[in-house]
């Protein structure tokens, strides 16, 4: 029987709860599809800072280099957000992990469960049928460019938005390949009317497009893309964009799916893949058994498909979640006026329902 070694970085806030839920589902699907799973645990984010002073201790990185795939919960704590002078921050752990593991492509699928059309703040008739796949560049751009520093006794701050051609090429190729497997439409998002790095981005995307004549390519400026996304989400198939634009657009796009609690993500590059819910650590609801585990569970589905080439097992998880929604069960973030109060489940109970449906 195949055994998969999974590295767990549960992180902060609701991270541990949603990761526990995802592992239960992974164990259960393993029994059904005849593979076993073993887990190794390490620390990242605020919990790692508390233990070691370092948001990504060396032992965490060592673990990540030895496993077949990584499942991450969430990182972040408000105490750092409100303290601009904090030198060590939870997010640094995540950024370092992405960089060290060469995870240059962040894949974020946005799909809607029909049962949840009414939980979004957007009109159901606008959302129905939307299905978007984001390719967000993850190890370059303004997140990593240098210099990033203070000057003039701290009164001037500099970040650098930098892209090299090869960085744009490799993510663009992946996005075109994905478009070829889907509806053959790719939208590249940049700010080429203002930014030089965006002009390189656009130029490079156009060059790569020559190898994919079947794919209909279009370019949008980020401001227009943000507007188009909620104006008419169905116009999109695959979207490729840089690090910060992708960060912002995918949070916006979570409302197309109904809740940030529903979006999984895969970060891939040359070696091991990392799978994590798009949502943050939500410390205000941590430990209360009310977090929505769907994004973490769908991240496991994405892991099975992406890292272990097991589409059947992956689909089985997605179908089980859909069935649980169809039966009317909800977590607290997805409640609408019509929801039967007895159908609002805690994190653990909702997870059990999914396992029952596998
Ligand atoms: C995300 C998060 C991270 C990012 C933070 C936690 C550093 O918002 O994965 O989207 O900005 O990339
Ligand atoms: Mg984000």
């Amino acid at each position: 029987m195949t055994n998969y070694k999974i590295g767990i970085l549960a992180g902060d806030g609701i991270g541990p709860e949603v990761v526990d839920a995802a592992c239960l589902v992974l164990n259960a699907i393993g029994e059904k599809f005849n593979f076993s799973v073993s887990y190794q645990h390490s620390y990242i984010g605020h919990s790692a800072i508390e233990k070691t002073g370092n948001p990504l201790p060396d032992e965490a990185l060592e673990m990540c280099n030895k496993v077949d795939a990584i499942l991450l919960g969430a990182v972040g704590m408000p105490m750092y957000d409100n303290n601009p002078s904090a030198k060590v921050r939870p997010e640094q752990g995540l950024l370092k992990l992405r960089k060290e593991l060469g995870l240059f492509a962040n894949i974020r699928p946005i799909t809607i469960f029909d049962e949840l059309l009414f939980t979004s703040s957007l009109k159901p008739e606008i959302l129905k049928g939307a299905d978007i796949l984001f390719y967000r560049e993850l190890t370059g751009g303004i997140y990593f460019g240098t210099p990033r520093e203070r000057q003039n006794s701290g009164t001037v701050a500099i970040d650098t938005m930098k892209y090299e051609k090869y960085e744009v090429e490799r993510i663009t190729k992946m996005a075109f390949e994905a478009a070829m497997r889907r509806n053959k439409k790719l939208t590249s998002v940049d700010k080429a009317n203002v930014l030089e790095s965006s002009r390189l981005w656009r130029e490079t995307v156009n060059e790569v497009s020559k190898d994919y004549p079947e794919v209909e390519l279009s370019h949008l400026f980020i401001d227009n893309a943000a507007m188009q996304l909620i104006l008419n989400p169905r116009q999109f198939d695959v979207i490729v964009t840089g690090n910060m634009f992708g960060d912002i657009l995918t949070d916006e796009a979570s409302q197309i799916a109904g809740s940030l609690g529903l979006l999984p993500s895969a970060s891939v590059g040359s070696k091991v893949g990392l799978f994590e819910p798009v949502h943050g650590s939500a410390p205000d609801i941590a430990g209360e058994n009310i977090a929505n585990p769907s994004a973490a569970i769908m991240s496991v589905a994405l892991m099975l498909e992406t890292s272990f080439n097991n589409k059947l097992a992956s689909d089985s998880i997605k179908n089980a979640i859909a069935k649980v929604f169809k039966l009317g069960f909800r977590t607290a973030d997805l409640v609408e006026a019509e929801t039967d109060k007895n159908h609002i489940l805690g994190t653990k109970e909702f997870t059990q329902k999914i396992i029952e449906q596998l």
Side-chain angles (χ1 to χ4, degrees), residues 187-190 202 218-222 224-225 228 235-236:
T187 308
S188 171
V189 176
D190 62 35
R202 192 174 283 221
S218 55
H219 298 275
L220 286 182
F221 297 136
I222 175 66
N224 187 19
Q228 295 291 337
Q235 69 183 292
F236 295 108

Side-chain angles (χ1 to χ4, degrees), residues 108 136 247 251:
R108 297 185 166 182
R136 166 188 174 195
D247 179 45
D251 257 33

Side-chain angles (χ1 to χ4, degrees), residues 76-140:
M77 275 290 157
M79 57 194 267
Y80 304 89
D81 303 347
N82 302 327
N83 175 10
S85 61
K87 287 272 170 300
V88 182
R89 302 174 164 275
E91 289 81 1
Q92 291 164 343
L94 183 57
L95 297 177
K96 181 170 170 205
L97 184 66
R98 290 171 176 171
K99 195 75 174 175
E100 293 280 330
L101 297 178
L103 303 169
F104 65 84
N106 183 228
I107 306 165
R108 297 185 166 182
I110 314 283
T111 43
I112 321 175
F113 295 100
D114 277 351
E115 294 70 34
L116 299 182
L117 278 175
F118 290 89
T119 61
S120 174
S121 57
L122 303 172
K123 292 194 193 103
E125 62 269 27
I126 304 276
L127 301 176
K128 199 169 169 33
D131 178 356
I132 308 172
L133 187 60
F134 275 93
Y135 276 76
R136 166 188 174 195
E137 201 289 325
L138 202 60
T139 51

